[in-house]
Amino acid sequence: MSTGTSTDGGDGPSPAPRSRFSATPPGLDRRFEAVVVWSTTPAISTRVAKALVALGEAGALVGVLAPEPVEELAERLTKPSRGGAPLLLADSAGTGVAIVDHSGVQRLGEPQRDVDLAALDQVGEALAETLAGLGLAATALPRPASSLKVGVELVHDPALRTTWTRLKQLLLAHGIPGVAHIADLAIEEARRAGLDDPRVVVEGTRVEIALVDAGDVALGMLEELWRRGVDPQSVLVVVDGLAGVPHRPAPVIAPDMRAATVVLVNGHRGSPRSGMVVLTGGMARLHQLLADQLRRRRQRALPEATTRSGWSFAVEGFDIEHQRVHEALLTLADGRVGTSGAPLAGHASRHSWVIAAGVYDGDGPSTHLLTGPVAFELGKADAGAPLRRVLDLRTGVLHERAGAQTDAVESVRFVSLARPTTALLRARYPTALRAGPPLLAAADDPTHDQGRVGKATWMQVAGSTGGIVAAAAQIASAGPRPVDGDKAGKVLDRVAVYRSETDTLPHPSPAVDAVGQAATIGFDRLLAEHRQAWARRWEDADVVVEGDDDLQLGIRFALFHLMASVADSGEAAVGARGLTGTGYRGHVFWDADTFVLPFLAATHPASARAMLEYRLRRLPAAMAAARATGHAGARYPWESAHSGRDVTPTSARDRSGKIVPIRTGHLEQHIVAQVPWAACCYVDWSGDEEFARGPGCRILVETARYWASRIRLEPDGSAHIYGVVGPDEYHEPVDDNAFTNVMARWNLRRAAQAVEADRGEEDVDVGEQQRWLELADALVDGYDPDTGIYEQFAGFGRLEPLVIAEVAPRRPIAADLLLGAERTRGAQVIKQADVLMLHHLVPDEVVAGSLEPNLRFYEPRTAHGSSLSPAIHASVLAKARDFDRALQALRIAARMDLDDLTNSTAGGLHLATMGGMWQALAFGFAGLRPRAGMLHVDPVLPPSWSVLELRVRFHGSRVHIRKERAHLAIRSDGRVSVVVGGTPFAVGPGTLSFRRRGPQWEPTA
């Protein structure tokens, strides 16, 4: 499990004097985030127990692996104090794993038993009989009731001391070539009894066959640490002997658990296992290693950045031209507060900012996100100094190193996901550097008030209705003693807490109090709980693509920022750039409801519910907007901010400086259907019936009433929606936009269905409900049964038949800049998915089999002039099994911000593109779709991928889907209904596997 083997010069098993170990061996002289003691005996000394508890109090995760039931093992150890890190205990015999904290022992779950234990007993008897047939008088030993292994004694003559030589001679005398042959026989008998993956160990004259062995338990502990946010690269495993340590190689697991550093401290005994760091000294060496880790914690050593592929994003150097882009890419956020990834050191082109979700200043179109005081700044930059920043996506931590080797400033910072609005910084810097104050004024908005309480500094920034207050404190002390020519330095710990309100200016006292509480807990313990919070989110949301490393990183980068940008309580106003910048002034568009919310509905329902709460609290404003235009129901605005009134600009200057009108606020009315679609998306994934009957039904009813009053019924009985603009904003205004009409039709039908299900809950009579259904049936959608194509809007077919794919030098491209706005309006050139968006969002509302003809017609005519377009095309192309073009579109979406393809990432990341990427993977490639209380699964795998894995939440259960070539596995921790290949199945708790046979999926035993 390590990277090499080393042996020091000590000898003998007795504990060595402290002076024998003057320095920590190379490779171990660093801070580890978790320490595991693997003991070959149940005896854990008082000194070791105290050291482990002290490490836990200092924020390290600590584990003990020993051959004893966890309850008895826990009695030998001191319980951690309240707030200290819990101890992770495991019985190396495989009987259980438990967490021990101040409240006691909590088992993490019963051990997996995939077969009847009777089969295990059968193996012992069968092996003894097989050996007897070879002339060996072997004996099957009785299995203890709690044991997961059975033993067979090869020689049972107490008077005979059997050495390895004598045993080998005995085996040869019976025609058995060696011990390995005995193991092979045991494996053969185990598999014959139904144990597909037995564990067989031959120790002395005993053969043991088990369901699990100590190696499995050790890997299970490392997996548990991974689930708590600790990478195996940051785990130190100290083994005090080789008894019970399996010879077999550890299996490769994702993540690769063999990256842990494993140290044997009794290196003079036995043959070391492959990959161990071998030392001598026994218990004295163990004490040294534990003491060294505790010393590093007390000296406030910095945690190291991960180097694991697919989990870290690095930016090298300080690039003035792209600095604002890098600041957005490296944003840290917790769903409520976002802070830029600007370098700590001040620089003229650096722009450090802090924003709080939903806190605005101004009125009307000029309404913008308010910026708050800045806590992440330290000293001034030296021109041309080296700079490296690494964002750890797994843990939400930003590592930075700036300056030359001996004068470098190293730092670690994060915004706590476990304690939202709490920001922490630890920095190690030269003594000559001035750290500066813990808070600096906001870069873009004036300070309203400021002051100091005790050791904490506070600042207020006021918006037009609400505001932001921040409080911060810091402590600087001498750093570790310099070695190898390093200069003396200092270590700074800084903590800042933000409080924001949308309607009032918050008082500084709560923030000041929270700073004191956080400082008492300390950086390391706050980091540990933050890492664990992020690990929990990844357990529910990670997507794995094997076969494309660049795409894998792009996917995780997108998921990280999606999770970081949305709170999971109260209301969540999710602007077009989330919490990664102030682009579009932080206004809320259909992007949030249509592209961001589905990911959260399927992975973290509480955040999706918070997004809907934002819309619910602005339903009165939407109803007032409808009345103001002479319509019924609710008309949600195209751009929204604090009040819920439309804040869409009415004009802007184009690239030539000419003032041009902006008509989306007046014409782009499909937003009215997107909000109820988002509400239903949340209900379909979460199964939240209370919301469906209450607030969700109210949204459906009021938006349906708007459409009923907006639709014009002609004398011939046809229904129309005139004067709108669809997602394709190159053409405005148009009549009977297919996307708008079909979404309105869906809205009317779903509202009628909701009212029917909960008759009496809403003030809708039968006549109104019936009228909705009649209007839905009468609405024209432009479908031509002869061609299978939906006309995008009335008259689209009469436009210039220009195919942008044939004339553009590349795509994506802004067609209106390439061709001119006038020609673009008169041509069949599309900005983004419009008709195809229907096949993606509401496939049940379009004619079956119509996807492919519409793809053939519309995709070559699409310029992809919107960042929303590539991901949606990736989804529908995957459904059509056009893998080459699907992957091309998906990779464009993945690189949209990483390569700043739109030259606009400096204003923040394109959160909707990121949400669209997840939808392409989940809806397109994995074929997921919640429908009528069942999760439909119909995956496809491009030839270049070997595996696609997704994790989702469905109706309260955690569901894991893994697609390989001809295999599909669905695992759930609860009972869920799935539909695979058109056939319904019940899954969970546990795994249901399928094999592809022709066009069908068949369950396997």
Side-chain angles (χ1 to χ4, degrees):
M1 289 187 185
S2 76
T3 57
T5 302
S6 63
T7 306
D8 75 359
D11 58 7
S14 59
R18 187 178 301 273
S19 60
R20 288 177 55 196
F21 309 129
S22 58
T24 306
L28 305 179
D29 52 350
R30 64 184 179 94
R31 165 177 162 150
F32 289 90
E33 299 309 306
V35 176
V36 176
V37 173
W38 186 340
S39 178
T40 57
T41 69
I44 304 295
S45 72
T46 301
R47 183 175 175 183
V48 170
K50 287 183 177 179
L52 294 175
V53 171
L55 275 170
E57 297 288 338
L61 285 176
V62 174
V64 177
L65 186 90
E68 187 172 38
V70 290
E71 287 81 6
E72 297 176 24
L73 189 57
E75 292 179 2
R76 300 177 183 272
L77 301 170
T78 305
K79 292 180 182 178
S81 65
R82 183 182 296 274
L87 297 175
L88 181 62
L89 307 182
D91 179 4
S92 56
T95 63
V97 180
I99 285 291
V100 180
D101 59 19
H102 70 278
S103 63
V105 181
Q106 176 187 356
R107 277 187 173 266
L108 293 181
E110 292 301 313
Q112 285 281 8
R113 294 186 176 92
D114 294 330
V115 297
D116 195 322
L117 289 176
L120 191 60
D121 295 328
Q122 178 185 339
V123 174
E125 297 291 345
L127 179 61
E129 291 178 9
T130 298
L131 294 174
L134 297 174
L136 277 177
T139 304
L141 304 175
R143 180 180 58 81
S146 62
S147 177
L148 298 180
K149 63 184 177 182
V150 66
V152 175
E153 190 69 49
L154 300 177
V155 180
H156 50 96
D157 185 350
L160 179 64
R161 182 175 180 270
T162 305
T163 65
W164 276 104
T165 301
R166 289 175 178 171
L167 178 61
K168 185 176 180 180
Q169 292 172 348
L170 176 67
L171 295 178
L172 288 172
H174 290 81
I176 301 172
V179 170
H181 186 68
I182 296 287
D184 290 340
L185 291 173
I187 291 171
E188 183 179 334
E189 293 295 344
R191 289 177 175 164
R192 188 176 290 124
L195 304 181
D196 294 331
D197 192 20
R199 301 289 185 257
V200 176
V201 176
V202 182
E203 292 282 358
T205 61
R206 179 174 295 183
V207 182
E208 291 184 340
I209 306 102
L211 300 179
V212 296
D213 63 15
D216 294 302
V217 177
L219 289 168
M221 179 169 282
L222 290 172
E223 287 182 302
E224 181 60 32
L225 291 171
W226 171 259
R227 286 190 289 270
R228 292 171 180 271
V230 177
D231 191 305
Q233 295 174 345
S234 299
V235 179
L236 173 65
V237 181
V238 185
V239 185
D240 66 7
L242 291 174
V245 179
H247 286 267
R248 63 181 178 83
V252 176
I253 301 175
D256 187 354
M257 295 301 169
R258 295 178 301 177
T261 298
V262 182
V263 181
L264 174 66
V265 295
N266 273 327
H268 62 285
R269 296 179 178 175
S271 301
R273 303 297 185 254
S274 168
M276 282 187 172
V277 176
V278 182
L279 304 173
T280 59
M283 292 301 293
R285 179 67 77 181
L286 172 60
H287 296 156
Q288 182 213 22
L289 295 176
L290 296 179
D292 178 69
Q293 288 301 306
L294 184 58
R295 175 183 60 81
R296 293 176 189 278
R297 294 270 169 171
R298 289 174 174 168
Q299 291 182 344
R300 296 188 286 163
L302 273 64
E304 296 183 358
T306 184
T307 58
R308 183 170 299 283
S309 175
W311 284 107
S312 62
F313 173 71
V315 174
E316 302 283 355
F318 188 93
D319 184 338
I320 294 177
E321 183 179 354
H322 296 101
Q323 179 52 34
R324 299 292 176 89
V325 172
H326 295 160
E327 291 171 2
L329 294 172
L330 299 172
T331 295
L332 296 174
D334 59 17
R336 298 191 180 279
V337 170
T339 178
S340 78
L344 287 180
H347 191 283
S349 64
R350 172 184 179 276
H351 185 227
S352 188
W353 47 258
V354 173
I355 53 178
V359 182
Y360 295 94
D361 189 29
D363 188 35
S366 64
T367 304
H368 64 274
L369 279 175
L370 191 70
T371 59
V374 173
F376 290 156
E377 186 159 328
L378 186 69
K380 298 296 181 183
D382 293 332
L387 174 66
R388 175 177 171 83
R389 286 167 286 174
V390 179
L391 177 58
D392 187 335
L393 302 172
R394 174 76 182 173
T395 61
V397 175
L398 181 59
H399 300 257
E400 181 178 318
R401 181 181 177 89
Q405 187 67 29
T406 57
D407 292 315
V409 177
E410 295 182 272
S411 65
V412 173
R413 48 181 146 153
F414 62 94
V415 180
S416 177
L417 194 67
R419 298 172 187 258
T421 72
T422 304
L424 291 110
L425 165 70
R426 172 170 288 176
R428 183 171 59 207
Y429 58 97
T431 304
L433 180 70
R434 292 181 58 84
L439 277 181
L440 294 176
D444 302 322
D445 293 285
T447 299
H448 174 77
D449 198 2
Q450 59 186 314
R452 188 175 181 86
V453 178
K455 296 181 180 180
T457 298
W458 61 267
M459 288 184 180
Q460 279 180 325
V461 181
S464 50
T465 56
I468 303 171
V469 64
Q474 62 189 22
I475 179 171
S477 61
R481 186 169 50 196
V483 295
D484 298 333
D486 290 345
K487 295 182 180 179
K490 290 185 176 181
V491 177
L492 173 80
D493 278 1
R494 179 181 294 168
V495 58
V497 174
Y498 292 84
R499 291 290 185 263
S500 63
E501 297 289 345
T502 58
D503 295 307
T504 61
L505 181 63
H507 194 273
S509 294
V512 170
D513 293 343
V515 163
Q517 295 166 8
T520 299
I521 296 169
F523 179 93
D524 288 308
R525 282 159 60 174
L526 291 170
L527 173 61
E529 66 179 29
H530 166 73
R531 275 195 312 241
Q532 184 169 344
W534 266 110
R536 288 196 191 105
R537 290 297 297 271
W538 282 112
E539 281 293 303
D540 288 341
D542 192 20
V543 174
V544 176
V545 169
E546 293 184 8
D548 191 330
D549 292 344
D550 288 342
L551 179 61
Q552 178 67 83
L553 177 60
I555 290 168
R556 289 203 175 114
F557 181 83
L559 301 188
F560 171 80
H561 284 293
L562 284 167
M563 290 187 282
S565 287
V566 188
D568 57 10
S569 62
E571 68 171 40
V574 182
R577 304 302 174 94
L579 293 174
T580 68
T582 57
Y584 289 103
R585 298 184 172 91
H587 294 179
V588 180
F589 292 74
W590 76 310
D591 304 37
D593 312 276
T594 310
F595 294 87
V596 176
L597 183 140
F599 163 73
L600 296 166
T603 61
H604 197 61
S607 288
R609 180 64 181 84
M611 292 181 68
L612 291 169
E613 187 64 24
Y614 170 82
R615 293 299 193 184
L616 281 164
R617 294 182 184 181
R618 285 148 188 84
L619 182 58
M623 295 174 70
R627 288 194 302 271
T629 57
H631 296 99
R635 177 184 172 178
Y636 280 100
W638 182 243
E639 296 187 32
S640 177
H642 171 259
S643 67
R645 294 189 296 271
D646 192 4
V647 293
T648 309
T650 57
S651 64
R653 292 187 182 276
D654 64 15
R655 298 193 180 190
S656 68
K658 178 183 176 182
I659 295 178
V660 295
I662 296 176
R663 307 180 70 182
T664 51
H666 176 59
L667 300 175
E668 203 147 356
Q669 296 174 24
H670 61 82
I671 179 67
V672 177
Q674 302 309 134
V675 174
W677 181 88
C680 292
C681 178
Y682 164 73
V683 169
D684 292 345
W685 279 101
S686 69
D688 187 344
E689 290 299 324
E690 182 179 355
F691 176 86
R693 290 191 300 270
C697 189
R698 171 55 57 186
I699 288 175
L700 278 165
V701 165
E702 296 302 340
T703 50
R705 283 172 170 164
Y706 175 79
W707 291 120
S709 68
R710 178 71 172 81
I711 293 169
R712 183 178 300 177
L713 196 61
E714 297 296 346
D716 64 359
S718 62
H720 305 264
I721 301 177
Y722 298 127
V724 297
V725 58
D728 168 27
E729 294 165 341
Y730 288 159
H731 301 92
E732 58 177 29
V734 300
D735 297 333
D736 288 329
N737 168 247
F739 180 81
T740 303
N741 284 22
V742 173
M743 290 304 301
R745 182 174 71 195
W746 170 90
N747 195 163
L748 292 164
R749 289 173 174 169
R750 189 72 182 248
Q753 177 185 342
V755 170
E756 184 67 27
D758 295 289
R759 177 63 62 193
E761 290 293 320
E762 295 293 338
D763 56 339
V764 179
D765 59 33
V766 175
E768 185 176 19
Q769 180 188 10
Q770 185 60 35
R771 183 168 181 269
W772 292 346
L773 293 174
E774 291 171 354
L775 286 171
D777 291 341
L779 256 177
V780 301
D781 59 13
Y783 180 69
D784 181 351
D786 293 331
T787 63
I789 294 173
Y790 287 84
E791 187 177 30
Q792 184 174 298
F793 54 81
F796 183 85
R798 297 191 297 272
L799 300 179
E800 179 188 356
L802 180 64
V803 178
I804 191 69
E806 297 175 356
V807 300
R810 56 175 174 77
R811 290 186 299 164
I813 197 166
D816 53 343
L817 296 181
L818 177 70
L819 304 173
E822 192 65 31
R823 187 180 182 193
T824 302
R825 277 194 296 271
Q828 293 177 353
V829 178
I830 304 165
K831 184 176 183 180
Q832 60 180 303
D834 198 303
V835 168
L836 293 176
M837 193 73 178
L838 293 171
H839 293 82
H840 175 75
L841 291 182
V842 286
D844 294 339
E845 281 290 331
V846 294
V847 176
S850 64
L851 172 58
E852 292 194 24
N854 282 279
L855 253 178
R856 285 195 301 269
F857 182 79
Y858 283 110
E859 196 286 327
R861 290 165 170 77
T862 304
H864 302 296
S866 166
S867 61
L868 305 176
S869 189
I872 300 306
H873 279 82
S875 179
V876 293
L877 286 164
K879 288 181 182 179
R881 289 168 170 73
D882 187 343
F883 295 128
D884 288 343
R885 292 199 297 164
L887 290 178
Q888 181 183 15
L890 186 62
R891 289 173 184 136
I892 289 171
R895 303 303 302 184
M896 190 68 66
D897 288 309
L898 294 175
D899 293 338
D900 192 16
L901 297 180
T902 62
N903 293 316
S904 62
T905 298
L909 307 181
H910 295 78
L911 218 61
T913 302
M914 296 173 167
M917 280 180 60
W918 180 86
Q919 291 183 39
L921 293 161
F923 301 163
F925 289 94
L928 302 185
R929 185 73 61 174
R931 185 183 292 123
M934 295 184 289
L935 181 60
H936 290 244
V937 184
D938 186 18
V940 293
L941 203 64
S944 59
W945 296 358
S946 57
V947 171
L948 172 62
E949 284 186 22
L950 289 98
R951 292 166 173 81
V952 296
R953 301 284 297 272
F954 182 66
H955 286 215
S957 295
R958 289 176 167 86
V959 182
H960 177 200
I961 298 101
R962 179 181 173 89
K963 170 69 168 69
E964 297 179 47
R965 284 284 155 231
H967 297 273
L968 171 67
I970 304 174
R971 185 177 72 242
S972 175
D973 64 359
R975 197 71 166 172
V976 297
S977 298
V978 301
V979 176
V980 179
T983 304
F985 298 92
V987 179
T991 302
L992 185 60
S993 298
F994 300 84
R995 176 183 288 275
R996 172 76 80 178
R997 296 193 185 279
Q1000 299 298 321
W1001 288 103
E1002 295 181 0
T1004 59

